[in-house]
Amino acid sequence: MCGLVCAAGGLWGCKPKTNTYAPPPAPEVTVAHPVRKSVTRYLEYTGTTEAYESVDLRARVSGFLEEFRFKPGAAVKKGDLLFVIDPRVYRAQQQQAAADLASKEAAEHLAEVTLARVEEAKESEGVSKQDVDKAIADRDAAKAQTELARAALAAADLNVEFTEVRSPIDGRITKNLVDVGNLVGAGGDPTVLATVVDTTPLYVSVDVSEADTLMVRRARIAHKPGAEPGQIEPGVWRPVSMATSDSAEFNIMGHIDYVDPALNPQTGTIRVRCVFENEGGLLLPGLFVRLRILLETDEATLVPDIALPSDQSGRYALVVNERDTVEIRRVKIGALDGTMRVVTEGLSPTDRMIVNGLQRARPGIVVKPTEQTLPAAATSAPSTPAAPGSGAPAGESKKEEGQPEPSGSGAGGGVKGSNV
């Protein structure tokens, strides 16, 4: 029995090996060619709305506030009477100045008559030359006194006028900051009574970076050689669109109307002011808004933003060559258009880049590509600006397998065009 077992063991040990190593199948990935299409580049900044005009109504004369003739927060017109300061003292001063002027005019008339008589008497040698000179001096002094009295009356008239505080502009008025019965303007202090704000149109000022400023000026010089790069043509040179905090749509249109002539060396920015008509009065001063300063429309190369991973060296794409081997391609990115990203360097429309299956691919391995066509339009999400160095690698997305393929971008949806 032991012999049979040993014999069987010997036969088993002599059996030839058959389990040779078989390499795993090439991982399957989805590839696509980058899309070429027209994209409108723009700069995106945030700011707050500012009143087109804002005027503090001040008491220009001292006195007790007698009444106010408006409803707080109401719309007012230029010239509307808003506040009344007790005018009785100033009307008395006005009457006194008017009477003084009448007296001075009478004295001037007497001096004129006296001079005429002295000149007649001189012809008959009834008076001396000294008498004539004195009459002329008296006439001139009387004229000066009349002008002085006339100026005093004008000042008195102004004081009476200043007792009625009128709106200098069209707009809306705040609540009254001083109640009736209070003494205003005492001691030369021009007390603020209320503020009138004009919100049609509105301003929005933003601080544009030095890099964007140089980029825009170079583009303007290239587009129109010999032109002044900082010249402003309101409504023509640089259109602007605005979105409010409660909306993702940039559907309020305006234009740049002023650019500072110099950069602020402390912040490295330049102040740019935009104007919006604000028809209907929807917007108020102080609102937080986002602006898009529209630039040129150019042909650009776009790829799904999710298909551009990043590392410490920046963004890159995984490209499958003609031997189905994965290569890493460093890229420079620009605009984000919905889910699509503009690539300014590193990719061409003939490249096959991996858009799905990034976790299964790494440089140097052979893959089994399945080609798909990227849609050339239909931006599915609101455009957002590129953030330098932001974005997790697309290959590490939580939803890698079976996720919907990124949709293409709509025409003219480009955003901030500076490279990252």
Side-chain angles (χ1 to χ4, degrees):
M1 183 67 179
C2 291
L4 291 174
V5 172
C6 292
L11 292 174
W12 180 263
C14 297
K15 185 176 181 181
K17 296 180 179 181
T18 59
N19 55 340
T20 58
Y21 171 75
E28 297 183 359
V29 297
T30 303
V31 298
H33 295 288
V35 177
R36 290 288 293 177
K37 55 169 286 190
S38 295
V39 172
T40 300
R41 298 185 300 117
Y42 56 79
L43 307 176
E44 184 164 326
Y45 287 91
T46 58
T48 54
T49 55
E50 306 166 5
Y52 183 73
E53 290 180 299
S54 179
V55 180
D56 290 335
L57 303 177
R58 298 178 181 269
R60 303 176 69 176
V61 293
S62 63
F64 288 96
L65 188 62
E66 195 170 79
E67 61 176 317
F68 63 90
R69 300 182 180 181
F70 63 89
K71 182 178 180 181
V76 296
K77 296 292 185 179
K78 181 178 180 179
D80 285 354
L81 179 59
L82 304 177
F83 292 93
V84 177
I85 300 172
D86 187 359
R88 290 174 295 176
V89 173
Y90 299 102
R91 285 177 180 166
Q93 293 174 355
Q94 182 186 43
Q95 293 173 358
Q96 182 180 358
D100 186 57
L101 175 60
S103 174
K104 294 300 189 294
E105 287 176 341
E108 180 185 357
H109 178 69
L110 177 59
E112 290 282 2
V113 172
T114 302
L115 176 59
R117 290 176 179 175
V118 170
E119 288 178 340
E120 289 178 0
K122 180 184 176 183
E123 294 178 358
S124 62
E125 298 183 355
V127 295
S128 65
K129 185 176 183 303
Q130 182 178 1
D131 294 333
V132 175
D133 293 340
K134 183 178 182 304
I136 293 174
D138 292 342
R139 189 272 313 271
D140 292 343
K143 282 186 176 181
Q145 289 297 318
T146 301
E147 292 300 324
L148 183 63
R150 188 173 288 113
L153 178 59
D157 290 341
L158 283 177
N159 286 336
V160 172
E161 180 181 337
F162 292 157
T163 61
E164 295 183 346
V165 181
R166 299 179 180 273
S167 177
I169 60 173
D170 294 342
R172 288 191 174 273
I173 189 169
T174 63
K175 68 176 183 178
N176 54 300
L177 305 180
V178 180
D179 292 328
V180 171
N182 281 280
L183 180 64
V184 297
D189 179 24
T191 309
V192 179
L193 305 176
T195 301
V196 178
V197 178
D198 183 7
T199 60
T200 309
L202 274 175
Y203 286 133
V204 178
S205 296
V206 296
D207 294 318
V208 177
S209 69
E210 180 178 340
D212 287 340
T213 301
L214 291 174
M215 181 267 294
V216 172
R217 291 172 72 88
R218 285 194 180 100
R220 181 163 174 79
I221 292 173
H223 177 69
K224 188 182 293 186
E228 164 55 42
Q231 182 182 359
I232 299 299
E233 301 171 18
V236 176
W237 177 56
R238 196 65 70 204
V240 180
S241 59
M242 178 172 65
T244 55
S245 59
D246 64 342
S247 173
E249 298 295 328
F250 289 79
N251 52 8
I252 304 174
M253 298 305 298
H255 63 269
I256 294 175
D257 81 322
Y258 172 75
V259 177
D260 274 351
L263 272 82
N264 185 335
Q266 296 179 342
T267 62
T269 59
I270 191 169
R271 177 58 60 95
V272 176
R273 189 179 70 183
C274 309
V275 62
F276 297 85
E277 292 303 323
N278 193 25
E279 296 180 0
L282 171 66
L283 304 178
L284 296 173
L287 292 177
F288 176 82
V289 296
R290 290 167 292 144
L291 296 187
R292 285 180 176 173
I293 303 174
L294 304 182
L295 304 179
E296 293 78 13
T297 299
D298 300 319
E299 286 290 321
T301 300
L302 291 95
V303 300
D305 187 56
I306 197 174
L308 296 176
S310 64
D311 57 19
Q312 292 182 344
S313 299
R315 303 291 286 269
Y316 64 90
L318 296 180
V319 177
V320 179
N321 62 21
E322 64 276 3
R323 296 184 300 275
D324 292 342
T325 302
V326 178
E327 299 177 351
I328 188 170
R329 192 78 58 82
R330 294 291 172 182
V331 298
K332 289 185 178 181
I333 64 173
L336 179 63
D337 183 17
T339 59
M340 303 291 282
R341 173 73 70 177
V342 172
V343 176
T344 59
E345 292 183 20
L347 290 176
S348 68
T350 59
D351 289 327
R352 295 188 300 167
M353 66 172 296
I354 299 176
V355 296
N356 204 350
L358 289 166
Q359 288 182 329
R360 297 187 293 273
R362 63 181 183 273
I365 70 170
V366 177
V367 295
K368 182 180 179 181
T370 300
E371 190 165 329
Q372 77 168 32
T373 301
L374 295 177
T379 301
S380 60
S383 299
T384 53
S390 65
E396 298 176 4
S397 173
K398 293 181 180 179
K399 188 176 182 181
E400 176 67 29
E401 297 294 337
Q403 65 181 2
E405 297 299 335
S407 63
S409 59
V415 297
K416 189 171 182 179
S418 54
N419 291 337
V420 179

mmCIF file of all heavy atoms in Angstrom, residues 289-313:
data_model
loop_
_atom_site.group_PDB
_atom_site.id
_atom_site.type_symbol
_atom_site.label_atom_id
_atom_site.label_comp_id
_atom_site.label_asym_id
_atom_site.label_seq_id
_atom_site.Cartn_x
_atom_site.Cartn_y
_atom_site.Cartn_z
ATOM 1 N N VAL A 289 -22.877 92.938 -6.971
ATOM 2 C CA VAL A 289 -23.149 92.462 -8.324
ATOM 3 C C VAL A 289 -21.866 91.872 -8.913
ATOM 4 O O VAL A 289 -20.762 92.106 -8.423
ATOM 5 C CB VAL A 289 -23.663 93.592 -9.248
ATOM 6 C CG1 VAL A 289 -25.000 94.112 -8.772
ATOM 7 C CG2 VAL A 289 -22.649 94.734 -9.324
ATOM 8 N N ARG A 290 -22.057 91.083 -9.988
ATOM 9 C CA ARG A 290 -20.939 90.545 -10.766
ATOM 10 C C ARG A 290 -20.978 91.154 -12.159
ATOM 11 O O ARG A 290 -22.055 91.284 -12.753
ATOM 12 C CB ARG A 290 -21.031 89.025 -10.858
ATOM 13 C CG ARG A 290 -20.765 88.320 -9.534
ATOM 14 C CD ARG A 290 -21.171 86.864 -9.586
ATOM 15 N NE ARG A 290 -22.625 86.737 -9.692
ATOM 16 C CZ ARG A 290 -23.238 85.797 -10.403
ATOM 17 N NH1 ARG A 290 -22.548 84.937 -11.119
ATOM 18 N NH2 ARG A 290 -24.549 85.736 -10.428
ATOM 19 N N LEU A 291 -19.817 91.524 -12.651
ATOM 20 C CA LEU A 291 -19.706 92.155 -13.961
ATOM 21 C C LEU A 291 -18.891 91.296 -14.902
ATOM 22 O O LEU A 291 -17.910 90.663 -14.491
ATOM 23 C CB LEU A 291 -19.039 93.533 -13.851
ATOM 24 C CG LEU A 291 -19.755 94.630 -13.067
ATOM 25 C CD1 LEU A 291 -19.011 95.937 -13.248
ATOM 26 C CD2 LEU A 291 -21.190 94.776 -13.518
ATOM 27 N N ARG A 292 -19.288 91.324 -16.151
ATOM 28 C CA ARG A 292 -18.492 90.722 -17.221
ATOM 29 C C ARG A 292 -18.178 91.806 -18.244
ATOM 30 O O ARG A 292 -19.087 92.353 -18.868
ATOM 31 C CB ARG A 292 -19.246 89.574 -17.900
ATOM 32 C CG ARG A 292 -19.289 88.307 -17.062
ATOM 33 C CD ARG A 292 -20.052 87.202 -17.763
ATOM 34 N NE ARG A 292 -20.016 85.972 -16.992
ATOM 35 C CZ ARG A 292 -20.709 84.882 -17.291
ATOM 36 N NH1 ARG A 292 -21.508 84.894 -18.360
ATOM 37 N NH2 ARG A 292 -20.625 83.795 -16.557
ATOM 38 N N ILE A 293 -16.907 92.099 -18.370
ATOM 39 C CA ILE A 293 -16.447 93.060 -19.361
ATOM 40 C C ILE A 293 -16.136 92.279 -20.629
ATOM 41 O O ILE A 293 -15.185 91.511 -20.680
ATOM 42 C CB ILE A 293 -15.207 93.818 -18.863
ATOM 43 C CG1 ILE A 293 -15.520 94.511 -17.530
ATOM 44 C CG2 ILE A 293 -14.747 94.823 -19.895
ATOM 45 C CD1 ILE A 293 -14.321 95.169 -16.887
ATOM 46 N N LEU A 294 -16.967 92.459 -21.649
ATOM 47 C CA LEU A 294 -16.851 91.647 -22.857
ATOM 48 C C LEU A 294 -15.641 92.063 -23.668
ATOM 49 O O LEU A 294 -15.396 93.256 -23.889
ATOM 50 C CB LEU A 294 -18.123 91.780 -23.690
ATOM 51 C CG LEU A 294 -19.433 91.429 -22.966
ATOM 52 C CD1 LEU A 294 -20.605 91.550 -23.920
ATOM 53 C CD2 LEU A 294 -19.372 90.036 -22.380
ATOM 54 N N LEU A 295 -14.895 91.060 -24.126
ATOM 55 C CA LEU A 295 -13.716 91.292 -24.957
ATOM 56 C C LEU A 295 -13.988 90.808 -26.368
ATOM 57 O O LEU A 295 -15.102 90.908 -26.860
ATOM 58 C CB LEU A 295 -12.505 90.600 -24.328
ATOM 59 C CG LEU A 295 -12.193 90.991 -22.875
ATOM 60 C CD1 LEU A 295 -10.997 90.210 -22.363
ATOM 61 C CD2 LEU A 295 -11.955 92.482 -22.748
ATOM 62 N N GLU A 296 -12.990 90.207 -26.998
ATOM 63 C CA GLU A 296 -13.142 89.795 -28.390
ATOM 64 C C GLU A 296 -13.748 88.398 -28.494
ATOM 65 O O GLU A 296 -13.705 87.614 -27.547
ATOM 66 C CB GLU A 296 -11.788 89.812 -29.114
ATOM 67 C CG GLU A 296 -11.188 91.191 -29.281
ATOM 68 C CD GLU A 296 -10.539 91.687 -27.997
ATOM 69 O OE1 GLU A 296 -10.343 90.851 -27.085
ATOM 70 O OE2 GLU A 296 -10.251 92.883 -27.903
ATOM 71 N N THR A 297 -14.305 88.094 -29.667
ATOM 72 C CA THR A 297 -14.786 86.750 -29.991
ATOM 73 C C THR A 297 -13.756 86.085 -30.886
ATOM 74 O O THR A 297 -13.473 86.568 -31.983
ATOM 75 C CB THR A 297 -16.156 86.799 -30.688
ATOM 76 O OG1 THR A 297 -17.102 87.405 -29.810
ATOM 77 C CG2 THR A 297 -16.631 85.401 -31.056
ATOM 78 N N ASP A 298 -13.171 84.975 -30.417
ATOM 79 C CA ASP A 298 -12.105 84.290 -31.143
ATOM 80 C C ASP A 298 -12.432 82.814 -31.260
ATOM 81 O O ASP A 298 -13.220 82.254 -30.495
ATOM 82 C CB ASP A 298 -10.754 84.456 -30.430
ATOM 83 C CG ASP A 298 -10.345 85.915 -30.297
ATOM 84 O OD1 ASP A 298 -10.549 86.664 -31.267
ATOM 85 O OD2 ASP A 298 -9.832 86.292 -29.219
ATOM 86 N N GLU A 299 -11.765 82.152 -32.234
ATOM 87 C CA GLU A 299 -11.809 80.701 -32.328
ATOM 88 C C GLU A 299 -10.965 80.118 -31.208
ATOM 89 O O GLU A 299 -9.842 80.572 -30.961
ATOM 90 C CB GLU A 299 -11.289 80.231 -33.682
ATOM 91 C CG GLU A 299 -12.258 80.464 -34.827
ATOM 92 C CD GLU A 299 -13.468 79.540 -34.738
ATOM 93 O OE1 GLU A 299 -13.295 78.357 -34.372
ATOM 94 O OE2 GLU A 299 -14.580 80.012 -35.025
ATOM 95 N N ALA A 300 -11.489 79.112 -30.522
ATOM 96 C CA ALA A 300 -10.768 78.535 -29.388
ATOM 97 C C ALA A 300 -10.938 77.025 -29.382
ATOM 98 O O ALA A 300 -11.868 76.476 -29.987
ATOM 99 C CB ALA A 300 -11.265 79.135 -28.078
ATOM 100 N N THR A 301 -10.020 76.349 -28.699
ATOM 101 C CA THR A 301 -10.068 74.903 -28.501
ATOM 102 C C THR A 301 -10.675 74.628 -27.139
ATOM 103 O O THR A 301 -10.181 75.136 -26.123
ATOM 104 C CB THR A 301 -8.665 74.296 -28.592
ATOM 105 O OG1 THR A 301 -8.114 74.569 -29.887
ATOM 106 C CG2 THR A 301 -8.710 72.794 -28.374
ATOM 107 N N LEU A 302 -11.748 73.822 -27.101
ATOM 108 C CA LEU A 302 -12.436 73.535 -25.855
ATOM 109 C C LEU A 302 -12.461 72.045 -25.581
ATOM 110 O O LEU A 302 -12.595 71.229 -26.502
ATOM 111 C CB LEU A 302 -13.873 74.063 -25.879
ATOM 112 C CG LEU A 302 -14.040 75.580 -25.862
ATOM 113 C CD1 LEU A 302 -14.185 76.107 -27.292
ATOM 114 C CD2 LEU A 302 -15.247 75.988 -25.034
ATOM 115 N N VAL A 303 -12.340 71.715 -24.299
ATOM 116 C CA VAL A 303 -12.422 70.327 -23.838
ATOM 117 C C VAL A 303 -13.238 70.320 -22.548
ATOM 118 O O VAL A 303 -13.376 71.366 -21.899
ATOM 119 C CB VAL A 303 -11.025 69.728 -23.588
ATOM 120 C CG1 VAL A 303 -10.205 69.735 -24.864
ATOM 121 C CG2 VAL A 303 -10.305 70.477 -22.483
ATOM 122 N N PRO A 304 -13.776 69.161 -22.142
ATOM 123 C CA PRO A 304 -14.472 69.115 -20.851
ATOM 124 C C PRO A 304 -13.521 69.468 -19.716
ATOM 125 O O PRO A 304 -12.418 68.915 -19.618
ATOM 126 C CB PRO A 304 -14.957 67.668 -20.761
ATOM 127 C CG PRO A 304 -15.005 67.199 -22.176
ATOM 128 C CD PRO A 304 -13.879 67.883 -22.871
ATOM 129 N N ASP A 305 -13.932 70.368 -18.863
ATOM 130 C CA ASP A 305 -13.073 70.789 -17.759
ATOM 131 C C ASP A 305 -12.775 69.637 -16.825
ATOM 132 O O ASP A 305 -11.701 69.567 -16.224
ATOM 133 C CB ASP A 305 -13.751 71.934 -17.004
ATOM 134 C CG ASP A 305 -12.848 72.542 -15.943
ATOM 135 O OD1 ASP A 305 -11.736 72.980 -16.305
ATOM 136 O OD2 ASP A 305 -13.246 72.575 -14.764
ATOM 137 N N ILE A 306 -13.705 68.699 -16.694
ATOM 138 C CA ILE A 306 -13.521 67.560 -15.801
ATOM 139 C C ILE A 306 -12.438 66.614 -16.308
ATOM 140 O O ILE A 306 -11.915 65.789 -15.558
ATOM 141 C CB ILE A 306 -14.856 66.809 -15.620
ATOM 142 C CG1 ILE A 306 -14.797 65.901 -14.398
ATOM 143 C CG2 ILE A 306 -15.212 66.007 -16.873
ATOM 144 C CD1 ILE A 306 -16.111 65.240 -14.059
ATOM 145 N N ALA A 307 -12.079 66.718 -17.587
ATOM 146 C CA ALA A 307 -11.076 65.834 -18.182
ATOM 147 C C ALA A 307 -9.674 66.418 -18.103
ATOM 148 O O ALA A 307 -8.755 65.899 -18.736
ATOM 149 C CB ALA A 307 -11.427 65.551 -19.641
ATOM 150 N N LEU A 308 -9.491 67.490 -17.332
ATOM 151 C CA LEU A 308 -8.169 68.112 -17.169
ATOM 152 C C LEU A 308 -7.765 68.020 -15.703
ATOM 153 O O LEU A 308 -8.064 68.911 -14.908
ATOM 154 C CB LEU A 308 -8.187 69.574 -17.633
ATOM 155 C CG LEU A 308 -8.457 69.820 -19.112
ATOM 156 C CD1 LEU A 308 -8.548 71.314 -19.383
ATOM 157 C CD2 LEU A 308 -7.360 69.196 -19.976
ATOM 158 N N PRO A 309 -7.090 66.925 -15.306
ATOM 159 C CA PRO A 309 -6.629 66.825 -13.920
ATOM 160 C C PRO A 309 -5.564 67.878 -13.632
ATOM 161 O O PRO A 309 -5.073 68.562 -14.533
ATOM 162 C CB PRO A 309 -6.052 65.408 -13.832
ATOM 163 C CG PRO A 309 -6.532 64.693 -15.061
ATOM 164 C CD PRO A 309 -6.742 65.739 -16.104
ATOM 165 N N SER A 310 -5.187 67.983 -12.369
ATOM 166 C CA SER A 310 -4.145 68.921 -11.981
ATOM 167 C C SER A 310 -3.222 68.289 -10.965
ATOM 168 O O SER A 310 -3.600 67.374 -10.230
ATOM 169 C CB SER A 310 -4.771 70.200 -11.409
ATOM 170 O OG SER A 310 -5.471 69.909 -10.212
ATOM 171 N N ASP A 311 -1.990 68.759 -10.950
ATOM 172 C CA ASP A 311 -1.015 68.379 -9.945
ATOM 173 C C ASP A 311 -0.215 69.614 -9.576
ATOM 174 O O ASP A 311 -0.620 70.739 -9.881
ATOM 175 C CB ASP A 311 -0.124 67.226 -10.441
ATOM 176 C CG ASP A 311 0.597 67.561 -11.747
ATOM 177 O OD1 ASP A 311 0.700 68.764 -12.078
ATOM 178 O OD2 ASP A 311 1.065 66.631 -12.428
ATOM 179 N N GLN A 312 0.920 69.427 -8.929
ATOM 180 C CA GLN A 312 1.702 70.573 -8.488
ATOM 181 C C GLN A 312 2.251 71.385 -9.652
ATOM 182 O O GLN A 312 2.593 72.561 -9.480
ATOM 183 C CB GLN A 312 2.854 70.106 -7.598
ATOM 184 C CG GLN A 312 2.386 69.538 -6.265
ATOM 185 C CD GLN A 312 3.537 69.129 -5.371
ATOM 186 O OE1 GLN A 312 4.669 68.988 -5.832
ATOM 187 N NE2 GLN A 312 3.260 68.941 -4.094
ATOM 188 N N SER A 313 2.349 70.775 -10.828
ATOM 189 C CA SER A 313 2.864 71.486 -12.003
ATOM 190 C C SER A 313 1.769 72.169 -12.791
ATOM 191 O O SER A 313 2.065 72.847 -13.787
ATOM 192 C CB SER A 313 3.632 70.510 -12.904
ATOM 193 O OG SER A 313 4.737 69.961 -12.221
#
